[in-house]
């Protein structure tokens, strides 16, 4: 496990013991990333804040982070995504279609970066490149799901594709992305690979 | 549950959809059940979750839409931690404080309600009708569908007069509350759905009006259904994310 992951694991133990300083540290590390993701999906600052609040409330309540399932950051982003998607589905009128290639390229191309700017930009660049390598039809189904918050059934309705095609394209796209992103998943450039 | 797919690639497709949170509830339930017994799918899902996190991190790296900053910790703190101010950061003291709070909350909610069978506040509005007949039909259909689905659970929430006010449909790690006889909450209030774990404090699932067509979302649960003793609905002031149930109106035990 990388030093950063070990630090996070230690912080989580402290959170489980009711240490408020520890959850504040985790928030300072990852709160910005969670907020950015929620706001990107919801297109609403207040709703995004509500989602972040729920994510860290879940963390404080001890909601089952399993270190075998990956880094804390992965888990927090997954929970954030899940809650943001729940919210966007509830707030149907607010749903924003952020699924075009251009939108994602813009997403990674400019603007303010978080504290760890170089690392974040490197990851973003790799992710953007991996997305660009996908055939457009594969990219579409992944982005409609992830950033649009659509279920695969809804994507089939939206695109006119058979549901089975949506599912198979999604699987192929996710596997290809994994191949392209393999070396940068959860580690920083100066750390070993997280296993 | 028997495997609905002879071709394991279909399970792999569900793994990808699960990582993107893009499955329908029945697919989620089937996949969750399969996942518990399939190491191949757990590995596949782990890979997809890493990819999903990379997609999520993309939102962090740049945001051309606007530059609004994330909320400060101090602005979130009370909603997450509660109203008690921090004390000297002693781990022992914090642990003791947390245990005491857990015991207090359980005593106030799960303990009183579940063990004595009483303690529920009267339903706030006496004429508790739900929405239109079609909305009610949709709720009953959802409940009925779940009851015939392996791995899906229905928990009925009864008030102090044993009248069933709502049903919570739990599929995999998601729960959705369907109002069956819920009128609108009083002005300035919302309903809150709580998950009562077998050990630990009550966990907020979501807040909302839960009236008529406003069924709950398919919200993510903090603890598994197997670790859940009960669900409850409480009345809470609007605009504040509650950290514990204030006025518990209805409760239902989770069956095995």
């Amino acid at each position: 496990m990388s030093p950063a992951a070990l630090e996070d694991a230690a912080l989580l133990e402290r959170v489980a013991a009711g240490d408020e300083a520890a959850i504040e540290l985790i928030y300072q590390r990852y709160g910005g990333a969670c907020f950015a993701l929620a706001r990107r999906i919801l297109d609403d600052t207040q709703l995004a804040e509500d989602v972040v609040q729920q994510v860290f409330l879940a963390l404080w309540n001890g909601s089952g982070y399993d270190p075998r399932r990956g880094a804390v950051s992965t888990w927090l982003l997954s929970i954030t995504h899940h809650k943001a998607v729940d919210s966007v589905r509830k707030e149907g009128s607010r749903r924003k279609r952020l699924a075009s290639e251009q939108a994602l390229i813009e997403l990674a191309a400019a603007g303010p970066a978080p504290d760890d700017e170089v690392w974040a930009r490197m990851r973003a660049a790799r992710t953007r490149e991996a997305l660009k390598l996908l055939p457009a039809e594969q990219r579409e189904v992944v982005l409609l799901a992830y950033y649009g918050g659509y279920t695969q059934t809804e994507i089939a309705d939206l695109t006119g594709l058979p549901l089975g095609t949506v599912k198979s394209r999604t699987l192929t796209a996710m596997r290809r992305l994994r191949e392209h992103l393999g070396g940068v998943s959860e580690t920083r450039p100066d750390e070993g690979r997280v296993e | 549950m028997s495997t609905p797919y002879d071709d394991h690639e279909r399970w792999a497709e569900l793994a990808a959809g699960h990582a993107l949170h893009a499955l329908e509830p029945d697919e989620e339930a089937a996949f969750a059940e399969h996942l518990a017994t399939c190491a191949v799918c757990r590995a596949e899902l782990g890979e997809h979750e890493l990819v999903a996190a990379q997609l999520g991190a993309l939102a962090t790296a740049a945001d051309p839409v606007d530059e609004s900053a994330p909320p400060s910790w101090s602005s979130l703190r009370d909603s997450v931690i509660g109203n008690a101010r921090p004390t000297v950061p002693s781990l022992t003291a914090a642990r003791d404080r947390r245990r005491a709070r857990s015991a207090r909350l359980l005593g106030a909610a799960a303990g009183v309600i579940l063990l004595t069978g009483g303690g529920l506040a009267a339903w706030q509005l006496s004429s508790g009708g739900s929405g239109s007949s079609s909305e009610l039909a949709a709720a009953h259909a959802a409940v009925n569908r779940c009851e015939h689905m392996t791995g899906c659970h229905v928990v009925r929430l009864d008030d102090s007069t044993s009248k069933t006010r709502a049903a919570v449909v739990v599929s995999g790690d998601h729960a959705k509350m369907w109002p069956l006889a819920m009128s609108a909450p009083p002005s300035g209030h919302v309903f809150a759905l709580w998950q009562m774990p077998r050990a630990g404090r009550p966990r907020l699932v979501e807040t909302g009006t839960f009236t008529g067509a406003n069924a709950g979302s398919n919200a993510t649960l903090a603890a598994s259904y197997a670790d859940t003793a009960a669900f409850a609905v409480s009345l809470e002031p609007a605009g504040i994310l509650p950290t514990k149930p204030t006025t518990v109106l209805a409760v239902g035990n989770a069956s095995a």
Side-chain angles (χ1 to χ4, degrees):
Chain A
M1 187 179 280
S2 69
L6 284 171
E7 278 180 28
D8 286 346
L11 283 174
L12 282 179
E13 282 189 16
R14 289 170 55 191
V15 170
D19 185 341
E20 296 181 19
I23 193 171
E24 183 174 356
L25 276 172
I26 291 180
Y27 181 78
Q28 286 168 352
R29 284 185 183 184
Y30 302 118
C34 294
F35 175 73
L37 174 58
R39 190 159 53 81
R40 174 59 54 180
I41 292 169
L42 289 160
D43 191 31
D44 184 297
T45 299
Q46 185 57 51
L47 289 175
E49 288 186 10
D50 290 346
V51 163
V52 171
Q53 200 173 77
Q54 290 174 37
V55 168
F56 281 83
L57 179 63
L59 180 64
W60 182 248
N61 281 338
S63 61
Y65 165 69
D66 181 352
R68 293 170 299 181
R69 296 280 297 275
V72 173
S73 56
T74 301
W75 180 75
L76 284 172
L77 285 173
S78 177
I79 297 294
T80 300
H81 182 256
H82 214 157
K83 290 185 182 296
V85 165
D86 280 347
S87 181
V88 83
R89 288 175 186 165
K90 202 172 177 181
E91 302 274 342
S93 61
R94 293 181 182 276
R95 181 171 290 184
K96 185 174 183 178
R97 190 82 54 83
L98 260 179
S100 71
E101 175 183 0
Q102 188 57 37
L104 265 291
I105 289 173
E106 286 175 0
L107 198 63
D115 297 343
D116 208 347
E117 184 172 343
V118 174
W119 166 238
R121 283 186 180 280
M122 191 198 82
R123 285 216 314 185
R126 292 288 292 272
T127 307
R128 180 193 61 191
E129 289 305 314
L131 282 167
K132 286 173 69 176
L133 288 171
L134 291 180
E137 64 272 18
Q138 291 179 15
R139 186 166 51 238
E140 180 185 40
V141 293
V142 168
L143 298 184
L144 279 172
Y146 194 83
Y147 278 102
Y150 294 101
T151 66
Q152 291 180 325
T153 302
E154 290 173 324
I155 293 170
D157 289 341
L158 282 168
T159 59
L161 293 168
L163 180 58
T165 302
V166 171
K167 289 180 178 297
S168 60
R169 279 186 185 174
T170 301
L171 175 60
T172 304
M174 293 293 279
R175 283 175 171 170
R176 287 188 177 178
L177 284 172
R178 178 59 181 161
E179 287 172 16
H180 297 317
L181 293 169
V184 294
S185 59
E186 292 187 291
T187 53
R188 292 161 188 264
D190 55 345
E191 293 173 347
R193 176 88 169 79
V194 170
E195 298 299 340
Chain B
M1 179 178 176
S2 61
T3 301
Y5 304 126
D6 293 331
D7 177 1
H8 204 274
E9 197 71 353
R10 300 287 80 76
W11 287 119
E13 289 177 355
L14 290 187
H18 179 87
L20 295 168
H21 303 137
L23 299 181
E24 299 298 330
D26 56 337
E27 294 175 315
E28 284 282 358
F31 181 68
E33 190 170 341
H34 174 72
L35 196 63
T37 61
C38 181
V40 173
C41 281
R42 285 197 293 274
E44 176 104 29
L45 178 61
E47 300 284 289
H48 294 321
E49 286 179 334
L50 289 177
V51 171
Q54 292 290 100
L55 293 173
L58 199 57
T60 316
D63 195 338
V65 177
D66 65 42
E67 298 184 4
S68 57
S72 66
W73 172 250
S74 59
S75 70
L76 288 185
R77 183 202 166 278
D78 283 355
S79 297
V80 173
I81 306 295
N83 293 323
R85 301 309 306 173
T87 56
V88 177
S90 151
L91 276 182
T92 304
R95 189 178 301 117
D96 290 347
R97 194 167 61 246
R98 187 165 182 170
R99 282 176 180 162
R101 185 165 57 228
S102 295
R104 206 162 52 241
L105 291 179
L106 280 177
V112 171
I113 295 164
L114 302 177
L115 299 180
T116 70
L120 290 182
W123 194 262
Q124 297 296 298
L125 298 177
S126 54
S127 57
S130 242
S132 68
S133 57
S134 62
E135 290 158 356
L136 203 54
H140 284 296
V143 169
N144 187 51
R145 195 163 52 243
C146 177
E147 287 177 331
H148 292 84
M149 191 185 303
T150 304
C152 193
H153 307 277
V154 175
V155 178
R156 288 177 171 76
L157 305 185
D158 296 343
D159 67 11
S160 56
T161 66
S162 299
K163 179 178 176 63
T164 298
R165 295 291 185 170
V168 180
V169 172
V170 182
S171 178
D173 62 351
H174 285 67
K176 180 169 184 168
M177 186 162 87
W178 291 91
L180 298 175
M182 292 177 67
S183 48
S187 176
H189 291 76
V190 293
F191 294 123
L193 176 64
W194 299 89
Q195 181 185 25
M196 307 291 198
R198 297 187 186 282
R201 70 185 71 180
R203 293 168 177 179
L204 178 64
V205 179
E206 64 174 334
T207 60
T209 54
F210 300 123
T211 307
N214 297 317
S217 65
N218 204 30
T220 310
L221 291 175
S224 71
Y225 182 81
D227 293 327
T228 303
F231 286 89
V233 63
S234 69
L235 187 67
E236 306 291 345
I240 301 172
L241 198 65
T243 56
K244 61 182 180 180
T246 303
T247 306
V248 179
L249 300 174
V251 67
N253 290 316
S255 58

